[in-house]
PDB file of all heavy atoms in Angstrom:
ATOM      1  N   LEU A 179      20.910  16.875 -12.568  1.00  0.00           N
ATOM      2  CA  LEU A 179      20.147  18.114 -12.408  1.00  0.00           C
ATOM      3  C   LEU A 179      20.831  19.174 -13.072  1.00  0.00           C
ATOM      4  O   LEU A 179      22.093  19.264 -13.201  1.00  0.00           O
ATOM      5  CB  LEU A 179      20.079  18.465 -10.897  1.00  0.00           C
ATOM      6  CG  LEU A 179      19.440  17.407  -9.907  1.00  0.00           C
ATOM      7  CD1 LEU A 179      19.581  17.843  -8.465  1.00  0.00           C
ATOM      8  CD2 LEU A 179      18.000  17.196 -10.246  1.00  0.00           C
ATOM      9  N   GLY A 182      18.573  23.433 -11.121  1.00  0.00           N
ATOM     10  CA  GLY A 182      17.524  23.050 -10.260  1.00  0.00           C
ATOM     11  C   GLY A 182      16.418  22.190 -10.845  1.00  0.00           C
ATOM     12  O   GLY A 182      15.334  22.100 -10.256  1.00  0.00           O
ATOM     13  N   ALA A 183      16.714  21.644 -12.070  1.00  0.00           N
ATOM     14  CA  ALA A 183      15.614  20.826 -12.729  1.00  0.00           C
ATOM     15  C   ALA A 183      16.251  19.465 -13.182  1.00  0.00           C
ATOM     16  O   ALA A 183      17.465  19.436 -13.402  1.00  0.00           O
ATOM     17  CB  ALA A 183      15.077  21.564 -13.924  1.00  0.00           C
ATOM     18  N   VAL A 184      15.410  18.487 -13.144  1.00  0.00           N
ATOM     19  CA  VAL A 184      15.852  17.113 -13.577  1.00  0.00           C
ATOM     20  C   VAL A 184      16.200  17.198 -15.012  1.00  0.00           C
ATOM     21  O   VAL A 184      15.426  17.712 -15.879  1.00  0.00           O
ATOM     22  CB  VAL A 184      14.720  16.119 -13.329  1.00  0.00           C
ATOM     23  CG1 VAL A 184      14.967  14.816 -14.052  1.00  0.00           C
ATOM     24  CG2 VAL A 184      14.530  15.907 -11.882  1.00  0.00           C
ATOM     25  N   VAL A 199      11.233  12.737 -13.539  1.00  0.00           N
ATOM     26  CA  VAL A 199      11.523  11.480 -12.827  1.00  0.00           C
ATOM     27  C   VAL A 199      10.520  11.319 -11.721  1.00  0.00           C
ATOM     28  O   VAL A 199      10.154  12.252 -10.987  1.00  0.00           O
ATOM     29  CB  VAL A 199      12.991  11.573 -12.219  1.00  0.00           C
ATOM     30  CG1 VAL A 199      13.092  10.553 -11.126  1.00  0.00           C
ATOM     31  CG2 VAL A 199      14.008  11.367 -13.303  1.00  0.00           C
ATOM     32  N   ILE A 200      10.020  10.052 -11.656  1.00  0.00           N
ATOM     33  CA  ILE A 200       9.125   9.812 -10.585  1.00  0.00           C
ATOM     34  C   ILE A 200       9.748   8.753  -9.605  1.00  0.00           C
ATOM     35  O   ILE A 200      10.122   7.648 -10.110  1.00  0.00           O
ATOM     36  CB  ILE A 200       7.733   9.232 -11.120  1.00  0.00           C
ATOM     37  CG1 ILE A 200       7.065  10.389 -11.881  1.00  0.00           C
ATOM     38  CG2 ILE A 200       6.875   8.682 -10.022  1.00  0.00           C
ATOM     39  CD1 ILE A 200       5.947  10.035 -12.606  1.00  0.00           C
ATOM     40  N   ASP A 201       9.902   9.119  -8.435  1.00  0.00           N
ATOM     41  CA  ASP A 201      10.477   8.279  -7.361  1.00  0.00           C
ATOM     42  C   ASP A 201       9.387   7.386  -6.766  1.00  0.00           C
ATOM     43  O   ASP A 201       8.606   7.863  -5.951  1.00  0.00           O
ATOM     44  CB  ASP A 201      11.159   9.150  -6.283  1.00  0.00           C
ATOM     45  CG  ASP A 201      11.776   8.317  -5.184  1.00  0.00           C
ATOM     46  OD1 ASP A 201      11.622   7.086  -5.207  1.00  0.00           O
ATOM     47  OD2 ASP A 201      12.354   8.890  -4.228  1.00  0.00           O
ATOM     48  N   VAL A 210      16.694   6.940  -3.212  1.00  0.00           N
ATOM     49  CA  VAL A 210      16.578   7.536  -4.611  1.00  0.00           C
ATOM     50  C   VAL A 210      16.465   9.070  -4.564  1.00  0.00           C
ATOM     51  O   VAL A 210      17.124   9.790  -5.353  1.00  0.00           O
ATOM     52  CB  VAL A 210      15.364   6.877  -5.374  1.00  0.00           C
ATOM     53  CG1 VAL A 210      15.011   7.683  -6.596  1.00  0.00           C
ATOM     54  CG2 VAL A 210      15.743   5.447  -5.740  1.00  0.00           C
ATOM     55  N   GLY A 211      15.683   9.533  -3.539  1.00  0.00           N
ATOM     56  CA  GLY A 211      15.628  10.872  -3.388  1.00  0.00           C
ATOM     57  C   GLY A 211      16.942  11.595  -3.142  1.00  0.00           C
ATOM     58  O   GLY A 211      17.247  12.662  -3.697  1.00  0.00           O
ATOM     59  N   GLU A 212      17.743  10.976  -2.378  1.00  0.00           N
ATOM     60  CA  GLU A 212      19.129  11.562  -2.182  1.00  0.00           C
ATOM     61  C   GLU A 212      19.954  11.656  -3.416  1.00  0.00           C
ATOM     62  O   GLU A 212      20.752  12.632  -3.557  1.00  0.00           O
ATOM     63  CB  GLU A 212      19.896  10.593  -1.184  1.00  0.00           C
ATOM     64  CG  GLU A 212      19.475  10.822   0.255  1.00  0.00           C
ATOM     65  CD  GLU A 212      19.871   9.667   1.199  1.00  0.00           C
ATOM     66  OE1 GLU A 212      20.644   8.764   0.744  1.00  0.00           O
ATOM     67  OE2 GLU A 212      19.428   9.637   2.356  1.00  0.00           O
ATOM     68  N   ALA A 214      18.878  12.846  -6.030  1.00  0.00           N
ATOM     69  CA  ALA A 214      18.420  14.205  -6.520  1.00  0.00           C
ATOM     70  C   ALA A 214      18.536  15.290  -5.491  1.00  0.00           C
ATOM     71  O   ALA A 214      17.925  16.314  -5.707  1.00  0.00           O
ATOM     72  CB  ALA A 214      16.994  14.115  -7.088  1.00  0.00           C
ATOM     73  N   THR A 215      19.256  15.015  -4.393  1.00  0.00           N
ATOM     74  CA  THR A 215      19.385  15.941  -3.280  1.00  0.00           C
ATOM     75  C   THR A 215      18.106  16.226  -2.591  1.00  0.00           C
ATOM     76  O   THR A 215      17.877  17.294  -1.970  1.00  0.00           O
ATOM     77  CB  THR A 215      20.024  17.316  -3.679  1.00  0.00           C
ATOM     78  OG1 THR A 215      19.165  18.027  -4.511  1.00  0.00           O
ATOM     79  CG2 THR A 215      21.382  17.142  -4.374  1.00  0.00           C
ATOM     80  N   ALA A 216      17.071  15.333  -2.832  1.00  0.00           N
ATOM     81  CA  ALA A 216      15.781  15.572  -2.238  1.00  0.00           C
ATOM     82  C   ALA A 216      15.567  14.739  -0.894  1.00  0.00           C
ATOM     83  O   ALA A 216      16.061  13.581  -0.883  1.00  0.00           O
ATOM     84  CB  ALA A 216      14.639  15.080  -3.136  1.00  0.00           C
ATOM     85  N   THR A 217      14.906  15.373   0.049  1.00  0.00           N
ATOM     86  CA  THR A 217      14.598  14.530   1.306  1.00  0.00           C
ATOM     87  C   THR A 217      13.285  13.895   1.100  1.00  0.00           C
ATOM     88  O   THR A 217      12.227  14.570   0.777  1.00  0.00           O
ATOM     89  CB  THR A 217      14.537  15.506   2.462  1.00  0.00           C
ATOM     90  OG1 THR A 217      15.731  16.230   2.621  1.00  0.00           O
ATOM     91  CG2 THR A 217      14.191  14.830   3.794  1.00  0.00           C
ATOM     92  N   VAL A 218      13.258  12.597   1.150  1.00  0.00           N
ATOM     93  CA  VAL A 218      11.964  11.809   1.087  1.00  0.00           C
ATOM     94  C   VAL A 218      11.860  11.049   2.354  1.00  0.00           C
ATOM     95  O   VAL A 218      12.444   9.947   2.583  1.00  0.00           O
ATOM     96  CB  VAL A 218      12.040  10.859  -0.128  1.00  0.00           C
ATOM     97  CG1 VAL A 218      10.670  10.089  -0.165  1.00  0.00           C
ATOM     98  CG2 VAL A 218      12.268  11.585  -1.433  1.00  0.00           C
ATOM     99  N   PRO A 219      11.133  11.596   3.391  1.00  0.00           N
ATOM    100  CA  PRO A 219      11.205  11.053   4.755  1.00  0.00           C
ATOM    101  C   PRO A 219      10.373   9.843   4.921  1.00  0.00           C
ATOM    102  O   PRO A 219       9.222   9.850   5.435  1.00  0.00           O
ATOM    103  CB  PRO A 219      10.734  12.226   5.584  1.00  0.00           C
ATOM    104  CG  PRO A 219       9.836  12.999   4.692  1.00  0.00           C
ATOM    105  CD  PRO A 219      10.311  12.823   3.379  1.00  0.00           C
ATOM    106  N   ILE A 328       3.157  10.352   0.522  1.00  0.00           N
ATOM    107  CA  ILE A 328       3.906  11.421  -0.054  1.00  0.00           C
ATOM    108  C   ILE A 328       3.783  11.317  -1.584  1.00  0.00           C
ATOM    109  O   ILE A 328       4.305  10.419  -2.267  1.00  0.00           O
ATOM    110  CB  ILE A 328       5.423  11.385   0.272  1.00  0.00           C
ATOM    111  CG1 ILE A 328       5.676  11.229   1.760  1.00  0.00           C
ATOM    112  CG2 ILE A 328       6.208  12.581  -0.253  1.00  0.00           C
ATOM    113  CD1 ILE A 328       7.122  11.201   2.282  1.00  0.00           C
ATOM    114  N   VAL A 329       2.928  12.238  -2.167  1.00  0.00           N
ATOM    115  CA  VAL A 329       2.606  12.142  -3.530  1.00  0.00           C
ATOM    116  C   VAL A 329       2.672  13.544  -4.094  1.00  0.00           C
ATOM    117  O   VAL A 329       1.941  14.413  -3.634  1.00  0.00           O
ATOM    118  CB  VAL A 329       1.313  11.512  -3.801  1.00  0.00           C
ATOM    119  CG1 VAL A 329       0.906  11.516  -5.265  1.00  0.00           C
ATOM    120  CG2 VAL A 329       1.149  10.108  -3.283  1.00  0.00           C
ATOM    121  N   GLY A 330       3.398  13.754  -5.193  1.00  0.00           N
ATOM    122  CA  GLY A 330       3.390  15.080  -5.869  1.00  0.00           C
ATOM    123  C   GLY A 330       4.827  15.575  -6.171  1.00  0.00           C
ATOM    124  O   GLY A 330       5.736  14.825  -6.094  1.00  0.00           O
ATOM    125  N   PRO A 331       4.852  16.771  -6.650  1.00  0.00           N
ATOM    126  CA  PRO A 331       6.148  17.409  -7.106  1.00  0.00           C
ATOM    127  C   PRO A 331       7.063  17.715  -5.950  1.00  0.00           C
ATOM    128  O   PRO A 331       6.479  18.254  -4.915  1.00  0.00           O
ATOM    129  CB  PRO A 331       5.764  18.591  -7.927  1.00  0.00           C
ATOM    130  CG  PRO A 331       4.434  19.005  -7.318  1.00  0.00           C
ATOM    131  CD  PRO A 331       3.782  17.782  -6.918  1.00  0.00           C
ATOM    132  N   HIS A 332       8.321  17.613  -6.055  1.00  0.00           N
ATOM    133  CA  HIS A 332       9.223  18.118  -4.988  1.00  0.00           C
ATOM    134  C   HIS A 332       9.174  19.640  -5.146  1.00  0.00           C
ATOM    135  O   HIS A 332       9.141  20.216  -6.236  1.00  0.00           O
ATOM    136  CB  HIS A 332      10.660  17.588  -5.244  1.00  0.00           C
ATOM    137  CG  HIS A 332      11.615  18.002  -4.119  1.00  0.00           C
ATOM    138  ND1 HIS A 332      12.162  19.178  -4.008  1.00  0.00           N
ATOM    139  CD2 HIS A 332      11.875  17.266  -2.991  1.00  0.00           C
ATOM    140  CE1 HIS A 332      12.881  19.259  -2.882  1.00  0.00           C
ATOM    141  NE2 HIS A 332      12.748  18.072  -2.308  1.00  0.00           N
ATOM    142  N   PRO A 333       9.094  20.387  -3.993  1.00  0.00           N
ATOM    143  CA  PRO A 333       8.869  21.785  -4.073  1.00  0.00           C
ATOM    144  C   PRO A 333      10.061  22.554  -4.696  1.00  0.00           C
ATOM    145  O   PRO A 333       9.866  23.677  -5.173  1.00  0.00           O
ATOM    146  CB  PRO A 333       8.639  22.246  -2.616  1.00  0.00           C
ATOM    147  CG  PRO A 333       9.247  21.082  -1.809  1.00  0.00           C
ATOM    148  CD  PRO A 333       9.123  19.832  -2.627  1.00  0.00           C
ATOM    149  N   ASP A 334      11.301  21.960  -4.622  1.00  0.00           N
ATOM    150  CA  ASP A 334      12.451  22.735  -5.018  1.00  0.00           C
ATOM    151  C   ASP A 334      13.236  22.209  -6.234  1.00  0.00           C
ATOM    152  O   ASP A 334      14.100  22.877  -6.795  1.00  0.00           O
ATOM    153  CB  ASP A 334      13.425  22.834  -3.916  1.00  0.00           C
ATOM    154  CG  ASP A 334      12.806  23.517  -2.652  1.00  0.00           C
ATOM    155  OD1 ASP A 334      12.072  24.537  -2.842  1.00  0.00           O
ATOM    156  OD2 ASP A 334      12.914  23.028  -1.506  1.00  0.00           O
ATOM    157  N   ILE A 335      12.894  20.957  -6.650  1.00  0.00           N
ATOM    158  CA  ILE A 335      13.571  20.331  -7.727  1.00  0.00           C
ATOM    159  C   ILE A 335      12.650  20.077  -8.840  1.00  0.00           C
ATOM    160  O   ILE A 335      11.756  19.177  -8.800  1.00  0.00           O
ATOM    161  CB  ILE A 335      14.315  19.027  -7.305  1.00  0.00           C
ATOM    162  CG1 ILE A 335      15.194  19.313  -6.120  1.00  0.00           C
ATOM    163  CG2 ILE A 335      15.064  18.388  -8.446  1.00  0.00           C
ATOM    164  CD1 ILE A 335      15.512  18.025  -5.343  1.00  0.00           C
ATOM    165  N   ARG A 336      12.638  20.926  -9.869  1.00  0.00           N
ATOM    166  CA  ARG A 336      11.653  20.874 -10.913  1.00  0.00           C
ATOM    167  C   ARG A 336      11.732  19.477 -11.681  1.00  0.00           C
ATOM    168  O   ARG A 336      12.946  19.087 -11.990  1.00  0.00           O
ATOM    169  CB  ARG A 336      11.828  21.995 -11.958  1.00  0.00           C
ATOM    170  CG  ARG A 336      11.188  23.258 -11.457  1.00  0.00           C
ATOM    171  CD  ARG A 336      11.047  24.322 -12.592  1.00  0.00           C
ATOM    172  NE  ARG A 336      12.277  24.442 -13.447  1.00  0.00           N
ATOM    173  CZ  ARG A 336      13.414  25.103 -13.062  1.00  0.00           C
ATOM    174  NH1 ARG A 336      13.490  25.625 -11.875  1.00  0.00           N
ATOM    175  NH2 ARG A 336      14.436  25.130 -13.969  1.00  0.00           N
ATOM    176  N   GLY A 337      10.655  18.827 -11.879  1.00  0.00           N
ATOM    177  CA  GLY A 337      10.684  17.560 -12.607  1.00  0.00           C
ATOM    178  C   GLY A 337      10.904  16.359 -11.748  1.00  0.00           C
ATOM    179  O   GLY A 337      10.888  15.219 -12.207  1.00  0.00           O
ATOM    180  N   PHE A 338      11.092  16.551 -10.420  1.00  0.00           N
ATOM    181  CA  PHE A 338      11.268  15.493  -9.565  1.00  0.00           C
ATOM    182  C   PHE A 338      10.006  15.222  -8.725  1.00  0.00           C
ATOM    183  O   PHE A 338       9.517  16.050  -7.958  1.00  0.00           O
ATOM    184  CB  PHE A 338      12.465  15.624  -8.560  1.00  0.00           C
ATOM    185  CG  PHE A 338      12.745  14.443  -7.728  1.00  0.00           C
ATOM    186  CD1 PHE A 338      13.419  13.318  -8.350  1.00  0.00           C
ATOM    187  CD2 PHE A 338      12.377  14.244  -6.404  1.00  0.00           C
ATOM    188  CE1 PHE A 338      13.707  12.199  -7.613  1.00  0.00           C
ATOM    189  CE2 PHE A 338      12.702  13.190  -5.664  1.00  0.00           C
ATOM    190  CZ  PHE A 338      13.355  12.096  -6.320  1.00  0.00           C
ATOM    191  N   TRP A 339       9.314  14.073  -9.030  1.00  0.00           N
ATOM    192  CA  TRP A 339       8.070  13.713  -8.438  1.00  0.00           C
ATOM    193  C   TRP A 339       8.186  12.534  -7.549  1.00  0.00           C
ATOM    194  O   TRP A 339       9.043  11.653  -7.760  1.00  0.00           O
ATOM    195  CB  TRP A 339       7.011  13.411  -9.558  1.00  0.00           C
ATOM    196  CG  TRP A 339       6.714  14.596 -10.479  1.00  0.00           C
ATOM    197  CD1 TRP A 339       7.569  15.073 -11.375  1.00  0.00           C
ATOM    198  CD2 TRP A 339       5.638  15.373 -10.475  1.00  0.00           C
ATOM    199  NE1 TRP A 339       6.990  16.154 -11.986  1.00  0.00           N
ATOM    200  CE2 TRP A 339       5.761  16.368 -11.409  1.00  0.00           C
ATOM    201  CE3 TRP A 339       4.359  15.346  -9.713  1.00  0.00           C
ATOM    202  CZ2 TRP A 339       4.791  17.306 -11.711  1.00  0.00           C
ATOM    203  CZ3 TRP A 339       3.418  16.291 -10.035  1.00  0.00           C
ATOM    204  CH2 TRP A 339       3.584  17.317 -11.029  1.00  0.00           C
ATOM    205  N   ILE A 340       7.251  12.452  -6.558  1.00  0.00           N
ATOM    206  CA  ILE A 340       7.401  11.328  -5.545  1.00  0.00           C
ATOM    207  C   ILE A 340       6.035  10.687  -5.474  1.00  0.00           C
ATOM    208  O   ILE A 340       5.039  11.262  -5.461  1.00  0.00           O
ATOM    209  CB  ILE A 340       7.826  11.939  -4.130  1.00  0.00           C
ATOM    210  CG1 ILE A 340       9.081  12.724  -4.260  1.00  0.00           C
ATOM    211  CG2 ILE A 340       7.949  10.821  -3.087  1.00  0.00           C
ATOM    212  CD1 ILE A 340       9.506  13.586  -3.102  1.00  0.00           C
ATOM    213  N   ALA A 341       6.038   9.284  -5.378  1.00  0.00           N
ATOM    214  CA  ALA A 341       4.903   8.508  -5.117  1.00  0.00           C
ATOM    215  C   ALA A 341       5.274   7.388  -4.126  1.00  0.00           C
ATOM    216  O   ALA A 341       5.691   6.308  -4.517  1.00  0.00           O
ATOM    217  CB  ALA A 341       4.320   7.943  -6.403  1.00  0.00           C
ATOM    218  N   LEU A 359      -1.377  11.210 -10.042  1.00  0.00           N
ATOM    219  CA  LEU A 359      -0.071  11.763 -10.268  1.00  0.00           C
ATOM    220  C   LEU A 359       0.248  12.107 -11.795  1.00  0.00           C
ATOM    221  O   LEU A 359       0.790  13.107 -12.092  1.00  0.00           O
ATOM    222  CB  LEU A 359       0.953  10.776  -9.710  1.00  0.00           C
ATOM    223  CG  LEU A 359       2.388  11.278  -9.689  1.00  0.00           C
ATOM    224  CD1 LEU A 359       2.561  12.251  -8.618  1.00  0.00           C
ATOM    225  CD2 LEU A 359       3.431  10.200  -9.577  1.00  0.00           C
ATOM    226  N   TRP A 362      -1.445  15.153 -12.845  1.00  0.00           N
ATOM    227  CA  TRP A 362      -0.660  16.273 -12.231  1.00  0.00           C
ATOM    228  C   TRP A 362       0.521  16.635 -13.084  1.00  0.00           C
ATOM    229  O   TRP A 362       0.838  17.797 -13.437  1.00  0.00           O
ATOM    230  CB  TRP A 362      -0.239  15.861 -10.784  1.00  0.00           C
ATOM    231  CG  TRP A 362      -0.084  17.058  -9.858  1.00  0.00           C
ATOM    232  CD1 TRP A 362       0.064  18.281 -10.054  1.00  0.00           C
ATOM    233  CD2 TRP A 362      -0.027  16.875  -8.461  1.00  0.00           C
ATOM    234  NE1 TRP A 362       0.227  19.000  -8.887  1.00  0.00           N
ATOM    235  CE2 TRP A 362       0.149  18.109  -7.811  1.00  0.00           C
ATOM    236  CE3 TRP A 362      -0.141  15.771  -7.531  1.00  0.00           C
ATOM    237  CZ2 TRP A 362       0.315  18.350  -6.522  1.00  0.00           C
ATOM    238  CZ3 TRP A 362       0.028  15.889  -6.178  1.00  0.00           C
ATOM    239  CH2 TRP A 362       0.225  17.302  -5.612  1.00  0.00           C
ATOM    240  N   VAL A 363       1.309  15.582 -13.503  1.00  0.00           N
ATOM    241  CA  VAL A 363       2.465  15.746 -14.313  1.00  0.00           C
ATOM    242  C   VAL A 363       2.115  16.312 -15.709  1.00  0.00           C
ATOM    243  O   VAL A 363       2.696  17.328 -16.157  1.00  0.00           O
ATOM    244  CB  VAL A 363       3.215  14.405 -14.536  1.00  0.00           C
ATOM    245  CG1 VAL A 363       4.336  14.595 -15.504  1.00  0.00           C
ATOM    246  CG2 VAL A 363       3.783  13.856 -13.208  1.00  0.00           C
ATOM    247  N   CYS A 375      -1.034  15.367   0.916  1.00  0.00           N
ATOM    248  CA  CYS A 375       0.005  14.431   0.612  1.00  0.00           C
ATOM    249  C   CYS A 375       1.257  15.063   0.025  1.00  0.00           C
ATOM    250  O   CYS A 375       2.240  14.284  -0.296  1.00  0.00           O
ATOM    251  CB  CYS A 375      -0.580  13.394  -0.398  1.00  0.00           C
ATOM    252  SG  CYS A 375      -2.064  12.645   0.128  1.00  0.00           S
ATOM    253  N   ALA A 376       1.198  16.344  -0.160  1.00  0.00           N
ATOM    254  CA  ALA A 376       2.263  17.053  -0.972  1.00  0.00           C
ATOM    255  C   ALA A 376       3.658  16.912  -0.276  1.00  0.00           C
ATOM    256  O   ALA A 376       3.760  17.183   0.963  1.00  0.00           O
ATOM    257  CB  ALA A 376       1.883  18.470  -1.210  1.00  0.00           C
ATOM    258  N   PRO A 377       4.716  16.555  -1.036  1.00  0.00           N
ATOM    259  CA  PRO A 377       6.059  16.626  -0.404  1.00  0.00           C
ATOM    260  C   PRO A 377       6.485  17.877   0.236  1.00  0.00           C
ATOM    261  O   PRO A 377       7.214  17.920   1.144  1.00  0.00           O
ATOM    262  CB  PRO A 377       6.952  16.251  -1.641  1.00  0.00           C
ATOM    263  CG  PRO A 377       6.045  15.649  -2.650  1.00  0.00           C
ATOM    264  CD  PRO A 377       4.702  16.236  -2.433  1.00  0.00           C
ATOM    265  N   ALA A 378       5.788  18.970  -0.264  1.00  0.00           N
ATOM    266  CA  ALA A 378       6.193  20.352   0.318  1.00  0.00           C
ATOM    267  C   ALA A 378       5.956  20.471   1.801  1.00  0.00           C
ATOM    268  O   ALA A 378       6.497  21.355   2.383  1.00  0.00           O
ATOM    269  CB  ALA A 378       5.404  21.407  -0.454  1.00  0.00           C
ATOM    270  N   ARG A 379       5.038  19.624   2.342  1.00  0.00           N
ATOM    271  CA  ARG A 379       4.769  19.784   3.740  1.00  0.00           C
ATOM    272  C   ARG A 379       6.016  19.496   4.672  1.00  0.00           C
ATOM    273  O   ARG A 379       5.981  19.915   5.784  1.00  0.00           O
ATOM    274  CB  ARG A 379       3.606  18.903   4.200  1.00  0.00           C
ATOM    275  CG  ARG A 379       3.884  17.380   4.256  1.00  0.00           C
ATOM    276  CD  ARG A 379       2.562  16.593   4.496  1.00  0.00           C
ATOM    277  NE  ARG A 379       2.735  15.227   4.731  1.00  0.00           N
ATOM    278  CZ  ARG A 379       2.803  14.248   3.826  1.00  0.00           C
ATOM    279  NH1 ARG A 379       2.867  14.597   2.528  1.00  0.00           N
ATOM    280  NH2 ARG A 379       2.968  13.021   4.141  1.00  0.00           N
ATOM    281  N   PHE A 380       7.023  18.789   4.121  1.00  0.00           N
ATOM    282  CA  PHE A 380       8.158  18.576   4.917  1.00  0.00           C
ATOM    283  C   PHE A 380       9.338  19.525   4.639  1.00  0.00           C
ATOM    284  O   PHE A 380      10.461  19.337   5.040  1.00  0.00           O
ATOM    285  CB  PHE A 380       8.658  17.126   4.610  1.00  0.00           C
ATOM    286  CG  PHE A 380       7.668  16.044   5.036  1.00  0.00           C
ATOM    287  CD1 PHE A 380       7.181  15.170   4.111  1.00  0.00           C
ATOM    288  CD2 PHE A 380       7.359  15.845   6.354  1.00  0.00           C
ATOM    289  CE1 PHE A 380       6.185  14.209   4.470  1.00  0.00           C
ATOM    290  CE2 PHE A 380       6.407  14.915   6.725  1.00  0.00           C
ATOM    291  CZ  PHE A 380       5.827  14.066   5.841  1.00  0.00           C
ATOM    292  N   ARG A 381       9.022  20.468   3.887  1.00  0.00           N
ATOM    293  CA  ARG A 381      10.059  21.422   3.307  1.00  0.00           C
ATOM    294  C   ARG A 381      10.947  21.979   4.411  1.00  0.00           C
ATOM    295  O   ARG A 381      12.143  22.014   4.351  1.00  0.00           O
ATOM    296  CB  ARG A 381       9.363  22.570   2.548  1.00  0.00           C
ATOM    297  CG  ARG A 381      10.332  23.348   1.667  1.00  0.00           C
ATOM    298  CD  ARG A 381       9.519  24.435   0.969  1.00  0.00           C
ATOM    299  NE  ARG A 381      10.201  24.814  -0.177  1.00  0.00           N
ATOM    300  CZ  ARG A 381       9.583  25.569  -1.158  1.00  0.00           C
ATOM    301  NH1 ARG A 381       8.299  25.946  -0.974  1.00  0.00           N
ATOM    302  NH2 ARG A 381      10.231  25.983  -2.221  1.00  0.00           N
ATOM    303  N   ALA A 382      10.262  22.453   5.526  1.00  0.00           N
ATOM    304  CA  ALA A 382      10.994  23.103   6.576  1.00  0.00           C
ATOM    305  C   ALA A 382      11.621  22.151   7.582  1.00  0.00           C
ATOM    306  O   ALA A 382      12.173  22.583   8.637  1.00  0.00           O
ATOM    307  CB  ALA A 382      10.104  24.160   7.221  1.00  0.00           C
ATOM    308  N   GLN A 383      11.341  20.863   7.402  1.00  0.00           N
ATOM    309  CA  GLN A 383      11.799  19.905   8.356  1.00  0.00           C
ATOM    310  C   GLN A 383      12.930  19.025   7.895  1.00  0.00           C
ATOM    311  O   GLN A 383      13.084  18.750   6.766  1.00  0.00           O
ATOM    312  CB  GLN A 383      10.639  18.955   8.755  1.00  0.00           C
ATOM    313  CG  GLN A 383       9.542  19.634   9.539  1.00  0.00           C
ATOM    314  CD  GLN A 383       8.338  18.760   9.482  1.00  0.00           C
ATOM    315  OE1 GLN A 383       7.486  18.768   8.598  1.00  0.00           O
ATOM    316  NE2 GLN A 383       8.144  17.956  10.612  1.00  0.00           N
TER     317      GLN A 383
END
Side-chain angles (χ1 to χ4, degrees):
L179 302 176
V184 166
V199 161
I200 294 170
D201 177 358
V210 165
E212 284 163 4
T215 69
T217 300
V218 181
I328 308 180
V329 177
H332 189 278
D334 301 317
I335 304 163
R336 281 195 313 286
F338 188 75
W339 295 75
I340 302 167
L359 188 77
W362 207 343
V363 171
C375 307
R379 71 188 188 276
F380 296 118
R381 196 179 203 168
Q383 288 168 276

